[in-house]
Amino acid sequence: MPPGDGGLLRDYLGENADRSARHLHSIDASIALSDLARGTSLGGRLPELRDRSVLIATGDQLTSALALIELDGVARRLVLCPPDLAPEHLRSVMADAEADALVSAEADGGRGAPGIDVVTCDPALTPWAAERAAPRQTEWVMFTSGTTGTPKMVQHSLAGLTAAIKRNAGHDGPPVWGTFYDIRRYGGLQIFFRALLDGGSLVLSSPKEPIGDHLARLGAHGATHVSGTPSHWRRALMSPSVQAMSPRYVRLSGEIADQAILDHLRACYPRARVGHAYASTEAGVGFEVDDGLAGFPAGMLGRLPSGVEMKVERDTLRIRSSRTAIRYVGGEGAALAEADGFVDTGDIVERHGDRYFFVGRSNGVINVGGLKVHPEEVEAVINAHPDVRMSLVRPRKSPITGSLVVADVVLRHQPGDGRLAQLQGEILRRCRESLTQHKVPTAIRFVPALAVAATGKLARHHA
């Protein structure tokens, strides 16, 4: 029985153990999924974790993946702790999640969690022949993206998390998924499930691995399907190793996919299908767009064949489906959805002709003298310049207007000093031709790189 329909991830792997040599590939090791179906990474301590709320707080993605597979259907609740969880927030996370056990990659991994049982996860699998107890429904808890201060968590079910995945979809050979995401966040977890349920392998990323080396490793493992945010892909396109792989499918999600990045990826991988997907930790997977164009057709509003319903209200996209999170975790467990069941995504869209385009986040507006500026709208204009690889639009304080709009720009190639002034003029001219005056940057600054947060999105410290 497929996971999400009452089956378990580990049992699903066991039932399909004869299907191709599927692996989880990390920077340091590779694990055959068929071995996990017959072994354990938890040293025989799986029964101790039954019916408990377990924090998965290993230092790397491979051990997290192994623990998730084994504990689904055993633990009452799984809490996926991202690697950037600040130590000072661990106690509040434990309290909100009602955690009474922790899985770590090290025996002393629970130093910051006194009074909690710690179980070590080891990728060196040991045989496991004990009979398993009857499965239970496990709650999957993860952090919302863009969280600052005390982390906010939401609860999902395995059925909701995997509802968008077409299991065992037809492919030209077993797929090898690769991702720039971390699987302990929603976007990466979706790719993890796709690889498991689609009969393929998964190449995991690592924060200690330079992007060029990661691209080379994706190529070495024959990655056929690769996913990341537009910022991930813009950084990849700046590396000579971007040609080390030849994917059949390139997927973008997590940020606005403007036309420039879609066109650049199509030029880089002319044989690949380039698509972008809309999803969020709270709203779940909404839809995919595979026509090569930014935005989405207006005809997608209403009820899609997938069962997802979408509408635009007060300029923001709202989604209702079985894929959305169930509730927030901690406190009173507040509901995510409004009274009609729709989740307000906070993503602002505008209709142009027969298509909707994303213009920014409702909480990311720059206020210029009482007029609103969405940074992503300005960035889309700047990124369309053929010499620009990526940009970040941010506010600068002004005693007169409150804020001014400025832009940090990364170029595709470093030109001579004389060309820099010319490029500034060209970019500003494009902005003046496409944007109203208050949205035009007052300054363009060329920088060698832009900071990308642990979520894979541009680090927007002003939002």
Side-chain angles (χ1 to χ4, degrees), residues 303-316:
R303 186 178 180 87
L304 298 172
S306 63
V308 173
E309 297 177 79
M310 300 196 302
K311 67 177 180 177
V312 175
E313 188 174 302
R314 296 191 295 276
D315 296 328
T316 63

Side-chain angles (χ1 to χ4, degrees), residues 77 96-98 141 151-155 327-331 333-334:
R77 172 180 288 172
D96 287 343
E98 301 175 350
V141 174
K152 183 182 289 187
M153 298 177 288
V154 296
Q155 175 189 329
R327 64 182 180 94
Y328 288 109
V329 174

Side-chain angles (χ1 to χ4, degrees), residues 375 378-379 382 390-396 404-410 424 427-428 431 439-447 450:
V378 183
E379 289 162 8
I382 297 173
M390 61 194 305
S391 62
L392 173 70
V393 169
R394 55 184 175 82
R396 176 184 292 169
L404 296 172
V405 176
V406 297
D408 295 335
V409 177
V410 178
Q424 284 180 327
I427 292 170
L428 288 172
C431 290
K439 299 178 181 180
V440 176
T442 59
I444 300 290
R445 184 178 69 144
F446 294 113
V447 297
L450 291 171

Side-chain angles (χ1 to χ4, degrees), residues 35 42 50 74 123 132 148 153 213 237 239 252 324 339 398 442:
D35 290 343
L42 300 175
R50 181 163 183 82
V74 175
R132 302 186 73 195
T148 57
M153 298 177 288
D213 293 350
L237 288 168
S239 171
L252 302 87
T324 61
S398 167
T442 59

Side-chain angles (χ1 to χ4, degrees), residues 109-127:
R111 286 176 296 179
I116 193 170
D117 291 339
V118 179
V119 174
T120 303
C121 184
D122 191 337
L125 304 180
T126 55

Side-chain angles (χ1 to χ4, degrees), residues 247-371:
R248 300 196 301 260
Y249 178 50
V250 169
R251 178 186 174 98
L252 302 87
S253 62
E255 294 177 299
I256 297 173
D258 59 38
Q259 197 59 51
I261 186 61
L262 295 173
D263 291 344
H264 288 320
L265 286 169
R266 188 182 301 107
C268 183
Y269 302 117
R271 297 183 180 179
R273 180 166 58 96
V274 178
H276 56 100
Y278 181 85
S280 75
T281 310
E282 293 93 333
V285 176
F287 57 89
E288 299 182 18
V289 180
D290 288 328
D291 61 6
L293 300 176
F296 62 93
M300 294 182 74
L301 290 186
R303 186 178 180 87
L304 298 172
S306 63
V308 173
E309 297 177 79
M310 300 196 302
K311 67 177 180 177
V312 175
E313 188 174 302
R314 296 191 295 276
D315 296 328
T316 63
L317 180 66
R318 287 132 196 273
I319 292 178
R320 180 169 64 187
S321 79
S322 61
R323 306 172 183 178
T324 61
I326 298 168
R327 64 182 180 94
Y328 288 109
V329 174
E332 299 298 321
L336 295 102
E338 297 175 335
D340 60 1
F342 279 88
V343 175
D344 183 355
T345 67
D347 287 305
I348 298 175
V349 296
E350 290 182 355
R351 182 168 180 169
H352 298 282
D354 61 355
R355 205 167 183 90
Y356 277 96
F357 294 86
F358 291 96
V359 296
R361 294 282 298 166
S362 58
N363 62 354
V365 172
I366 300 173
N367 191 317
V368 180
L371 300 173

